[in-house]
Amino acid sequence: MEQSAKMEGSRMASAALPEAVEPRKKSNFKYACTCAAFASMATIVLGYDVGVMSGASLYIQKDLRITDVKVQIMIGILSLYALVGSFAAARTSDWIGRRYTVVIAAATFFAGSLLMGFAVNYAMLMFGRFVTGIGVGYAIMVAPVYTAEVSPASARGLLTSFTEVFINFGILLGYVSNYAFARLPLHLSWRVMLGIGALPSALLALMVFGMPESPRWLVMKGRLADARVVLEKTSDTPEEAVERLDQIKAASGIPKDVDGDVVAVPKKDGSEEKRVWKELIFSPTPAMRRILVAALGIHFFQQATGSESVVLYSPRVFKSAGITGDNHLLGATCAVGVTKTLFILVATFQLDRAGRRPLLLASTAGMLVCLIGLGTGLTVVGQHPDTKVPWAIGLCILCILAYVAFFSIGLGPITNVYTSEVFPLRVRALGFAVGASCNRVTSATVSMSFLSLSKAITIGGSFFLYAGITVLGLIFFYTFIPETRGQPLEDIGKLFGMTDDTAVEAESTATKDKVKVVEMS
């Protein structure tokens, strides 16, 4: 009897053990991972456009007989159009929710892709670029914000980096599309390349309906019961779900002791929107200013270090390096896409292990070495136009592939991850939109000036210039970017000097009326 009692007690103890010590519910992690993947698929549209335009621009220039200046404008203008989309997405995502904003992104890109695919002249093509740019702006703003808000702290870096994974996958699809349709007649090749981009956006619009709404947006709307359900499905433990809900309520200005299915919060008016702009842009606290500088800096240096020039103009760079023939050029470009996609997976699984800061610094240092090597190789090739210099050609190819690899393990994915983390909830949508706008303006400047810059200071000199900017970026990251790994979103402000008193003061200004609880029947 005593032995059977011991065995029974042992079985009960072993049965209770997993609940006590299991660090993460696998089913919850899979659910959060699925939500993050669905939302991040929105960024495929940006990646596909970047990849496909690198090759399609060659055929568009031949078919429509346009100048290099018009090619630059056609490629780079999308980033400026994305500005409109980013700011519109910030308002839309706070109005109708993060989930339905993803649907708008997919629908807009779908329409833009069809317009470009059926374009009969340069003007219609540019109108299609405008519509596509709006969709891209929506996608790059809402996908990282939604993913960060639905992810538990233990896996936020992994899940938020999905946006960059899908951007790189989209770039690879664009490169493959170039290679696959390059043999079509000239007037069809580029139109098919651009028009087929409507397919992934149509699929995305359907998949979004399987996603829950962001728990932080639900709390902002007073829907505590719905938010609690989502948090219980995406948190590692029930205790973490309760803690996350309390933190979000505090960040939203809802007292901790207020509970219920629905909380009637004061309606937002124009004055509250002005307060958000004032808090973030016009009259920020020192801590908020440092957050804003960190976000703008990381977005600026992501683009100013030449990543767009390497990806968008890779066939032209390879041609300058001595590779000839469309098949060889597009094949080498596909190698760039494969390299980017493979190495982004490294970052995806290391962000929550190694941390944001070490990967960012290592990535930027590696990019610097590669840019110096690429500038050297291209300069040597340019000085010997009539003869091939095998070692210089090899150096150029190696440096391009190494550059995109280093970019993909750090600066590429960390930019969106970091920006989606550092802003407090009340200014997060606007803050990410401002960061994305800085990113797109810098991207447009780089992509619309590369060909002209290459003619002015040589293509090798252009990459030496990017190397100089990368040095400044390395200094900035070392000085201004603290580590955020494993920190709850609501606590990250403290890393920048934000105190609880500061947060309480800001929230009390934003919520003047008393919160009332209305129980749902």
Side-chain angles (χ1 to χ4, degrees), residues 152-177:
S154 61
R156 192 174 59 244
L158 166 67
L159 300 184
T160 310
S161 66
F162 279 10
T163 57
E164 193 68 21
V165 172
F166 281 102
I167 287 175
N168 281 273
F169 184 64
I171 290 173
L172 178 58
L173 287 180
Y175 288 159
V176 171
S177 177

Side-chain angles (χ1 to χ4, degrees), residues 50-119:
V50 169
V52 79
M53 285 304 295
S54 68
S57 62
L58 301 175
Y59 302 102
I60 292 172
Q61 187 170 21
K62 292 178 184 177
D63 188 30
L64 301 183
R65 298 178 183 178
I66 57 178
T67 64
D68 282 348
V69 173
K70 286 188 174 182
V71 170
Q72 288 182 146
I73 294 174
M74 175 187 67
I75 291 176
I77 199 69
L78 181 134
S79 294
L80 294 182
Y81 294 151
L83 284 176
V84 181
S86 292
F87 279 103
R91 297 176 65 94
T92 306
S93 65
D94 282 343
W95 177 35
I96 65 172
R98 303 348 184 187
R99 187 169 66 136
Y100 289 113
T101 303
V102 176
V103 176
I104 293 177
T108 309
F109 190 85
F110 179 84
S113 296
L114 293 182
L115 283 169
M116 291 190 295
F118 288 101

Side-chain angles (χ1 to χ4, degrees), residues 185-202:
L186 180 61
H187 69 285
L188 285 179
S189 58
W190 64 268
R191 290 181 169 90
V192 175
M193 293 174 188
L194 298 179
I196 204 170
L199 294 180
S201 54

Side-chain angles (χ1 to χ4, degrees), residues 1 29 31 37 56 69 72 159 181 185 189 211 217 229 237 242 244 249 259 310 314 327-328 349 421 452 464 501 510:
M1 289 290 293
F29 176 72
Y31 184 77
V69 173
Q72 288 182 146
L159 300 184
F181 300 118
S189 58
M211 296 162 41
W217 182 82
V229 171
T237 63
V242 174
R244 287 174 68 186
K249 286 166 62 177
D259 201 2
V310 172
S314 51
N327 286 340
H328 291 99
F349 293 103
E421 292 177 330
S452 300
F464 282 129
D501 292 339

